């Protein structure tokens, strides 16, 4: 009887270990599609991966700056996660001075938190994703399909002559299918554009409020309106179409 019980117990243990192994594999696989980065030379927030300006992209690591010699660690006026940042010294939607992250193909939500800046935009895959984020530690997010196994992102104009900084980046896979929800693009002037912080600004353009009246499970809203002059709006629109 003891032998039978022992054998039965061994089978149970082996089964549990096998099941746990399956769960572990799933967890590891999921982790590869979700990242939280804390940029700058200061302390790293719990749950985030610290990234200094000098960290070059490494294939075995799966992330890093394409040209780290064009990056600089800077301080920021926030606290904790937003107490430091990195500054992009070269920029533009066609710049190769990007932060690269290896990802499996699919659809991702990317949350961006800037450091200190007066007006900056975010480009990914060579296209503007968010334009004219204003104020220190501004936060916004966007959806992007990945079809080549890597996200390439940078902070750029904005406003020429001002610093373009990045304090934190959160990346989360939301679908294995690399197709965004149907998209409503908005263009316009200061009566339409976003004002930051998005959830507590004293003023807001109507484009900033449209998500309250749209089913965001079906549509994503991309507010590309700008309070910049008409020439800047034209240049951003041209870059968006490329």
């Amino acid at each position: 009887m003891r032998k039978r019980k022992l054998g039965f117990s061994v089978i149970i243990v082996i089964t549990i270990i096998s099941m746990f192994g399956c769960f572990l594999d799933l967890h590891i696989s999921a982790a590869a599609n979700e990242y939280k980065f804390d940029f700058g030379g200061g302390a790293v927030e719990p749950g985030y991966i610290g990234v200094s300006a000098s960290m070059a992209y490494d294939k075995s690591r799966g992330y890093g700056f394409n040209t780290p010699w064009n990056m600089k660690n800077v301080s920021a006026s926030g606290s904790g996660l937003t107490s430091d940042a990195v500054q992009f010294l070269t920029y533009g939607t066609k710049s190769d001075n990007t932060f690269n992250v290896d990802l499996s193909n699919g659809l991702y939500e990317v949350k961006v938190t800037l450091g200190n800046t007066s007006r900056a935009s975010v480009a990914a895959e060579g296209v503007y994703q968010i334009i004219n984020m204003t104020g220190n530690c501004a936060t916004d997010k966007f959806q992007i399909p990945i079809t080549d196994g890597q996200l390439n992102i940078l902070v750029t104009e904005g406003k020429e002559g001002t610093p373009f900084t990045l304090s934190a980046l959160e990346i989360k896979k939301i679908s294995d299918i690399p197709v965004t929800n149907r998209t409503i693009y908005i263009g316009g002037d200061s009566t339409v554009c976003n004002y930051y912080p998005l959830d507590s600004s004293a003023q807001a353009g109507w484009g900033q409020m449209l998500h309250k009246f749209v089913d965001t499970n079906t549509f994503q809203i991309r507010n590309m309106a700008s309070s910049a002059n008409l020439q800047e709006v034209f240049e951003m629109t041209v870059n968006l179409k490329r």
Side-chain angles (χ1 to χ4, degrees):
M1 290 294 291
R2 287 184 180 179
K3 287 184 179 180
R4 288 178 182 176
K5 286 182 179 179
L6 179 60
F8 183 68
S9 299
V10 170
I11 292 171
I12 292 174
V13 170
I14 291 173
T15 303
I16 291 172
I17 290 173
S18 299
M19 289 174 64
F20 181 78
C22 291
F23 293 147
L24 185 61
D25 287 341
L26 287 172
H27 176 72
I28 292 172
S29 176
N33 294 317
E34 186 168 350
Y35 289 97
K36 297 170 73 175
F37 296 105
D38 180 356
F39 295 93
V44 179
E45 284 295 291
Y48 285 76
I49 300 170
V51 179
S52 174
S54 61
M55 183 178 287
Y57 170 79
D58 180 83
K59 187 173 179 62
S60 62
R61 185 194 303 117
Y63 57 85
F65 291 104
N66 196 44
T67 57
W69 49 90
N70 290 324
M71 301 299 304
K72 181 172 72 171
N73 289 327
V74 293
S75 60
S77 60
S79 60
L81 188 64
T82 55
S83 63
D84 58 354
V86 290
Q87 182 177 346
F88 291 78
L89 302 180
T90 62
Y91 38 85
T93 56
K94 303 306 176 186
S95 172
D96 62 357
N97 186 31
T98 54
F99 181 68
N100 302 335
V101 185
D102 292 339
L103 300 168
S104 61
N105 290 346
L107 181 64
Y108 289 81
E109 180 181 86
V110 179
K111 180 180 178 181
V112 178
T113 302
L114 303 185
N116 286 6
T117 184
S118 59
R119 194 166 82 192
S121 299
V122 178
E125 312 308 297
V127 177
Y128 280 110
Q129 305 295 330
I130 307 170
I131 65 170
N132 289 359
M133 294 175 69
T134 54
N136 298 338
C137 308
T139 298
D140 207 340
K141 60 186 177 181
F142 60 91
Q143 289 182 10
I144 188 165
I146 298 298
T147 57
D148 61 357
Q150 190 177 78
L151 172 68
N152 313 109
I153 190 169
L154 79 160
V155 182
T156 184
E157 313 99 320
K159 184 177 182 181
E160 190 72 30
T162 62
F164 308 129
T165 62
L166 178 62
S167 190
L169 188 67
E170 298 180 19
I171 303 167
K172 180 173 63 176
K173 192 173 190 180
I174 55 179
S175 174
D176 289 327
I177 302 172
V179 177
T180 62
N181 289 343
R182 285 177 285 178
T183 305
I184 301 172
Y185 286 96
I186 308 172
D189 58 13
S190 59
T191 64
V192 188
C193 71
N194 289 338
Y195 291 85
Y196 297 83
L198 290 174
D199 57 351
S200 60
S201 175
Q203 65 181 126
W206 64 258
Q208 185 173 335
M209 299 293 138
L210 187 59
H211 71 278
K212 296 180 181 292
F213 306 96
V214 172
D215 180 1
T216 53
N217 293 317
T218 303
F219 298 95
Q220 69 158 338
I221 298 171
R222 301 297 293 276
N223 189 358
M224 308 305 288
S226 172
S227 60
N229 62 46
L230 291 177
Q231 180 61 30
E232 288 176 313
V233 173
F234 172 76
E235 291 173 356
M236 289 179 178
T237 303
V238 169
N239 279 321
L240 181 64
K241 290 179 178 179
R242 286 177 178 171

